[in-house]
Amino acid sequence: MVLTIYAPFFASSKRAVVTLVEKGVEFETVNVDLLKGEQNQPEYIAIQPFGKIPALVDGDYKIFESRAIMRYIAEKYRSQGPDLLGKTIEERGQVEQWLDVEATSYHPPLLALTLNIVFAPLMGFPADEKVIKESEEKLGEVLDVYEAQLSKNEYLAGDFVSLADLAHLPFTEYLVGAIGKAYMIKDRKHVSAWWDKISNRAAWKEVSEKYALPV
Amino acid sequence: MVVKLYGQVTAACPQRVLLCFLEKEIEFEIVHIDLDTFEQKKPEHLLRQPFGQVPAIEDGDFKLFESRAIARYYATKYSDQGTNLLGKSLEHRAIVDQWADVETHYFNVLAHPIVINLVIKPRLGEECDVVLVKDLKVKLEEVLDIYENRLASNRFLAGDEFTMADLTHMPAMRYLMGIIDINRMVKARVNMNRWWEEITARPAWKKLMVMAGS
């Protein structure tokens, strides 16, 4: 039985999808259109009670939260594809640290920019200019720390690509694309080099093209 | 040589790590970083935690920050001693991770601004954002309903045993339970109340509360 991932066209799901592709795992997808509110349908709520995406179903086993799914896939398929968790528990600790930085410091302001700039016009709610300004400032401060970190290490957790780097791909694609703030990445030498490296990985290119949201 | 935890013993994020140390029976030393004087933003601490936050740990040459990452690291390193916080199988571990991540993305996003507005701002003589707090409380009720449903068929968030998923909620929950109407919200939900009573009866939690001067 093949593993199924829900809502592959949306950014949070792509964290899980790119991990599956990096690890060479076969999977199927089920579309859930957030723009039509399909995540609130009872059949989906039965899988993800908060009505958010993604979710992964593997036979009787269900799991949600994109980074929990990433960890599960990286661990289950440890022996194939790149080792996205590091080779020692100390390296894994660094991976978890930067995965948490993405979740708690990078993602919130970037999500605010995504909602206000990309989705507000699509869904007919007003963009909050004050939130946009504050979010850009906060994200800039976080990227300054990334610039320092990436001047010492090729990737966030060290000299190996990990879940921490991959977790940044989907929403950063919005930042350099539909949000129109590519300068935030390009103006920072080491962040820019890191972005070029991770966004040009074969797995991401495949996911990005195959599941491009038609916006 | 024992692990050094940099932070304030009364602050929620350092408490997450301290609770892990206590559950795992790991010896530690606390190096106080004074949040009231913004010591966490000073150059010396920024070398340990470049975002100017607490906690951070130093364990010999090994350094780490982000409380949840630190807790996961020690729960893994000391998997053979103390409470098993990470589940019994890969599948179980992933469900532990799932509910631990729920804490970050659904619970803390509400708990943190509620505590800032209702507990911290009054202490600093700042004005609370009343409209925001009202909206956050409505959202919190919806989230608590989902937790209530989960705990109706599971003793703990990830199943039959206490894990990282429960532990990670405790420091911020304690602040929320000090707010009267939120306390009522939790107590009105039979399973949430049962869960909170059970996890706060744990010896490690009681030790932490003594350390934090409660």
Side-chain angles (χ1 to χ4, degrees), chain A residues 48 61 64-65 67 90 97, chain B residues 65 73 91 94 98 106:
Chain A
Q48 215 289 16
Y61 182 65
F64 56 89
E65 281 303 301
R67 298 167 195 81
E90 282 70 32
Q97 173 185 285
Chain B
F65 54 88
Y73 169 74
E91 282 70 25
Q98 171 189 287
Y106 300 90

Side-chain angles (χ1 to χ4, degrees), chain B residues 30-193:
Chain B
I30 300 175
V31 177
H32 180 74
I33 299 292
D34 193 50
L35 303 181
D36 293 336
T37 56
F38 297 98
E39 197 181 339
Q40 74 278 21
K41 306 289 180 194
K42 301 210 169 110
E44 196 185 328
H45 188 73
L46 289 174
L47 290 174
R48 298 174 199 116
Q49 215 289 13
F51 298 92
Q53 294 163 337
V54 288
I57 60 101
E58 274 172 19
D59 196 344
D61 289 330
F62 183 61
K63 298 184 170 121
L64 207 57
F65 54 88
E66 284 298 326
S67 62
R68 298 168 187 87
I70 297 170
R72 281 181 166 113
Y73 169 74
Y74 281 97
T76 305
K77 183 173 177 175
Y78 292 90
S79 57
D80 291 338
Q81 77 181 49
T83 310
N84 176 18
L85 294 172
L86 295 175
K88 293 188 281 276
S89 65
L90 170 64
E91 282 70 25
H92 190 200
R93 163 101 197 232
I95 300 301
V96 172
D97 281 338
Q98 171 189 287
W99 283 98
D101 279 6
V102 164
E103 185 269 327
T104 305
H105 296 285
Y106 300 90
F107 181 79
N108 199 48
V109 293
L110 303 174
H112 187 248
I114 289 174
V115 170
I116 295 285
N117 276 278
L118 294 182
V119 179
I120 309 293
K121 279 186 177 174
R123 266 189 218 158
L124 300 174
E126 281 173 33
E127 239 185 270
C128 154
D129 186 341
V130 176
V131 171
L132 175 67
V133 169
K134 191 159 178 255
D135 180 58
L136 291 169
K137 284 181 181 174
V138 169
K139 290 189 172 126
L140 184 63
E141 293 243 45
E142 292 167 6
V143 166
L144 292 183
D145 282 341
I146 298 170
Y147 277 64
E148 177 65 9
N149 196 49
R150 172 69 185 175
L151 292 165
S153 51
N154 291 276
R155 187 173 165 200
F156 299 99
L157 287 170
D160 300 329
E161 287 166 14
F162 178 83
T163 66
M164 188 64 70
D166 311 286
L167 183 153
T168 193
H169 283 81
M170 293 175 80
M173 261 298 279
R174 181 192 144 243
Y175 276 108
L176 288 186
M177 291 302 276
I179 298 166
I180 293 180
D181 50 350
I182 298 183
N183 188 296
R184 273 194 217 124
M185 264 187 223
V186 172
K187 294 216 164 114
R189 290 166 169 80
V190 160
N191 296 292
M192 279 226 71
N193 191 43

Side-chain angles (χ1 to χ4, degrees), chain A residues 52-128:
Chain A
K52 299 278 191 238
I53 56 100
L56 180 145
V57 174
D58 192 357
D60 288 332
Y61 182 65
K62 290 181 283 203
I63 176 178
F64 56 89
E65 281 303 301
S66 61
R67 298 167 195 81
I69 296 172
M70 292 174 93
R71 290 177 179 105
Y72 170 67
I73 298 162
E75 194 71 73
K76 184 168 180 175
Y77 298 96
R78 196 131 196 192
S79 57
Q80 62 189 69
D83 192 341
L84 301 168
L85 294 168
K87 293 200 251 338
T88 62
I89 59 164
E90 282 70 32
E91 284 186 351
R92 173 123 193 206
Q94 296 291 329
V95 174
E96 294 286 356
Q97 173 185 285
W98 289 99
L99 201 46
D100 277 3
V101 166
E102 189 270 332
T104 62
S105 300
Y106 188 85
H107 180 68
L110 183 47
L111 178 66
L113 288 174
T114 305
L115 291 174
N116 280 278
I117 296 173
V118 181
F119 288 98
L122 285 177
M123 298 182 78
F125 60 84
D128 189 329

Side-chain angles (χ1 to χ4, degrees), chain A residues 4-207:
Chain A
T4 304
I5 195 101
Y6 286 72
F9 285 86
F10 292 88
S12 295
S13 301
K14 287 178 187 166
R15 286 194 189 96
V17 178
V18 74
T19 308
L20 285 164
V21 177
E22 284 277 0
K23 298 301 269 178
V25 178
E26 261 191 62
F27 62 97
E28 281 172 3
T29 60
V30 171
N31 288 342
V32 179
D33 193 343
L34 301 187
L35 302 175
K36 293 188 184 145
E38 286 176 3
Q39 72 279 22
N40 297 316
Q41 303 288 346
E43 314 84 64
Y44 187 72
I45 296 280
I47 302 169
Q48 215 289 16
F50 296 92
K52 299 278 191 238
I53 56 100
L56 180 145
V57 174
D58 192 357
D60 288 332
Y61 182 65
K62 290 181 283 203
I63 176 178
F64 56 89
E65 281 303 301
S66 61
R67 298 167 195 81
I69 296 172
M70 292 174 93
R71 290 177 179 105
Y72 170 67
I73 298 162
E75 194 71 73
K76 184 168 180 175
Y77 298 96
R78 196 131 196 192
S79 57
Q80 62 189 69
D83 192 341
L84 301 168
L85 294 168
K87 293 200 251 338
T88 62
I89 59 164
E90 282 70 32
E91 284 186 351
R92 173 123 193 206
Q94 296 291 329
V95 174
E96 294 286 356
Q97 173 185 285
W98 289 99
L99 201 46
D100 277 3
V101 166
E102 189 270 332
T104 62
S105 300
Y106 188 85
H107 180 68
L110 183 47
L111 178 66
L113 288 174
T114 305
L115 291 174
N116 280 278
I117 296 173
V118 181
F119 288 98
L122 285 177
M123 298 182 78
F125 60 84
D128 189 329
E129 290 302 325
K130 184 165 175 271
V131 166
I132 291 173
K133 186 165 179 278
E134 285 171 359
S135 299
E136 183 170 345
E137 263 174 52
K138 263 189 223 153
L139 185 60
E141 287 167 9
V142 171
L143 282 168
D144 287 341
V145 176
Y146 279 34
E147 180 63 12
Q149 175 68 13
L150 293 163
S151 69
K152 290 180 275 179
N153 293 292
E154 200 183 342
Y155 298 96
L156 286 169
D159 58 8
F160 60 96
V161 72
S162 74
L163 294 185
D165 307 287
L166 300 185
H168 288 78
L169 286 163
F171 283 91
T172 310
E173 185 178 71
Y174 278 134
L175 183 65
V176 303
I179 291 174
K181 293 184 189 292
Y183 58 83
M184 293 189 77
I185 300 292
K186 301 286 172 209
D187 289 355
R188 291 171 169 89
K189 178 173 162 204
H190 297 97
V191 171
S192 185
W194 165 77
W195 173 250
D196 285 344
K197 237 182 309 208
I198 63 171
S199 60
N200 280 299
R201 289 178 71 84
W204 179 248
K205 288 174 95 155
E206 184 185 320
V207 171

